[in-house]
């Protein structure tokens, strides 16, 4: 049993590749900006994802470090915080997560999710995981691995100061992103705090360690009245609080930032009806897709990096095989085998 795997590039707007006989998990290789706009209208019940965080890792991609200068040089009336369209940014060598300013990063994330708004059903939900970071004029970008850990190669780049961008400042990127989404008519229903009790030590001696991330639950704003969306409270964690404690797990298949299963399974079970469709536009190695399929949902994933796309396809196939074995066991039990 093989998951349906599709590849799509900017030069080729039509997906092609391997097409198999199982439509429970579909994976496409390409930029979420392109792929999310091609989804059928009102076809997604739940969008759940963890996009690249700002200023932490390059994942081996080449980024144009002169892109801010190029943007300002095109028009003398521009200022640094004017956000270029994502299409311009990408065309000029920009990489999502490596924007020269957090304002650009937030603007590009909102732009991508807005392109997918039409694909989300009126009663659908979005759960988006965002982490924060501290400002440094000379920041350290890991090529791979977690920020500040290990001996993976890294590079340093200068980030412009100004406004709230000051040395040692906690940037509040998640909050700024959530407010930007609200400005685009999204309704924020929860700011779930993911408490990570096993975060590693840090060298700083003048602040506490960051031991949490934000998981935002957005729903569509209706034309009139209050939002109505699918939600099954019976499937959330015991106690139904907005703080979830789960340890950080080691990465998989070369990806250092994979979702913990016990963090995302309740989001999928509570916010997507059985048989519904889950989308992860930044699916990495496909953890959310496998959990969705194992939970009786269909899953669609987008991944830009070919190594992670290949890993997601492999993991999806394995998840479907395990699911098939589980279903066979259930049928045998019912038949008294």
């Amino acid at each position: 049993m093989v998951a349906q795997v599709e590849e799509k590039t900017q030069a080729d707007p039509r997906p092609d590749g391997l097409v198999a006989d199982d439509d429970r998990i579909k994976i496409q290789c390409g930029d979420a900006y392109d792929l999310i706009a091609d989804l059928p209208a009102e076809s997604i019940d739940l969008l759940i994802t963890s996009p690249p965080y700002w200023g932490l890792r390059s994942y081996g991609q080449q980024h144009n470090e002169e892109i801010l200068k190029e943007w300002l040089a095109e028009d003398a009336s521009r200022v640094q915080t004017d956000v270029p369209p994502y299409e311009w940014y990408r065309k000029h060598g920009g990489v999502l997560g490596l924007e020269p300013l957090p304002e650009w990063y937030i603007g590009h994330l909102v732009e991508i999710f807005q392109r997918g708004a039409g694909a989300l059903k009126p009663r659908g939900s979005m759960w988006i995981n965002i982490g924060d970071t501290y400002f440094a004029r000379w920041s350290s970008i890991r090529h791979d691995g977690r920020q500040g850990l290990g001996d993976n190669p890294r590079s340093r780049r200068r980030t412009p100061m100004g406004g709230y961008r000051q040395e040692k400042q906690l940037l509040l990127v998640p909050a700024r992103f959530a407010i930007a989404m609200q400005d685009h008519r999204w309704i924020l229903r929860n700011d779930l705090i993911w408490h990570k009790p096993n975060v590693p030590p840090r060298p700083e001696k003048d602040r506490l360690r960051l031991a949490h991330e934000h998981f935002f639950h957005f729903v569509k704003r209706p034309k009139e009245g209050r939002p109505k969306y699918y939600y099954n409270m019976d499937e959330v964690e015991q106690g139904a609080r907005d703080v979830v404690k789960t340890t950080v797990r080691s990465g998989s298949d070369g990806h250092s930032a994979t979702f913990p299963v016990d963090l995302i399974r309740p989001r999928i079970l509570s916010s997507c009806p059985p048989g519904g469709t889950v989308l992860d536009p930044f699916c990495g190695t496909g953890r959310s897709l496998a959990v969705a399929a194992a939970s009786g949902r269909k899953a669609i994933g987008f991944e830009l990096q070919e190594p992670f796309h290949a890993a997601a396809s492999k993991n999806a196939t394995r998840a479907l095989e395990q699911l098939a074995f589980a279903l066979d066991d259930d049928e045998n039990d019912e038949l008294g085998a």
Side-chain angles (χ1 to χ4, degrees), residues 208-315:
L208 303 175
R209 282 181 287 168
L210 276 178
H212 73 279
E213 294 184 11
H214 296 260
F215 217 153
F216 295 118
H217 180 199
F218 295 102
V219 298
K220 283 188 168 182
R221 178 178 170 182
K223 293 181 179 179
E224 58 182 24
R226 295 183 174 185
K228 296 179 180 179
Y229 52 95
Y230 177 86
Y231 201 79
N232 186 351
M233 185 66 78
D234 293 336
E235 297 289 1
V236 302
E237 293 86 352
Q238 187 175 5
R241 292 184 175 89
D242 63 356
V243 177
V244 173
K245 180 179 178 180
T246 184
T247 57
V248 177
R249 308 300 203 275
S250 58
S252 65
D253 301 288
H255 199 296
S256 61
T258 52
F259 267 141
V261 171
D262 51 354
L263 175 68
I264 58 171
R265 181 181 286 120
R267 316 285 78 79
I268 292 172
L269 294 178
S270 65
S271 298
C272 181
T277 300
V278 175
L279 168 68
D280 187 343
F282 304 96
C283 74
T285 59
R287 181 72 56 82
S288 59
L289 310 182
V291 174
S295 303
R297 279 73 173 169
K298 295 181 180 180
I300 300 172
F302 304 150
E303 176 52 46
L304 179 62
Q305 297 300 302
E306 290 190 5
F308 297 147
H309 170 258
S313 303
K314 178 191 68 177
N315 293 334

Side-chain angles (χ1 to χ4, degrees), residues 25-36:
I25 301 180
K26 298 180 180 179
I27 306 170
Q28 290 178 271
C29 186
D31 196 319
Y33 176 85
D34 299 314
L35 299 174
I36 203 168

Side-chain angles (χ1 to χ4, degrees), residues 78-108:
R78 290 173 180 166
V79 297
Q80 288 183 345
T81 52
D82 289 338
V83 180
Y86 180 77
E87 197 162 10
W88 182 97
Y89 175 72
R90 180 179 62 180
K91 182 179 178 181
H92 289 77
V95 173
L96 184 67
L98 295 181
E99 286 85 349
L101 301 171
E103 292 92 336
W104 285 29
Y105 167 72
I106 292 167
H108 292 156

Side-chain angles (χ1 to χ4, degrees), residues 328-337:
D328 288 342
D329 288 342
D330 289 342
E331 291 177 358
N332 291 334
D333 289 342
E334 291 176 3
L335 295 173

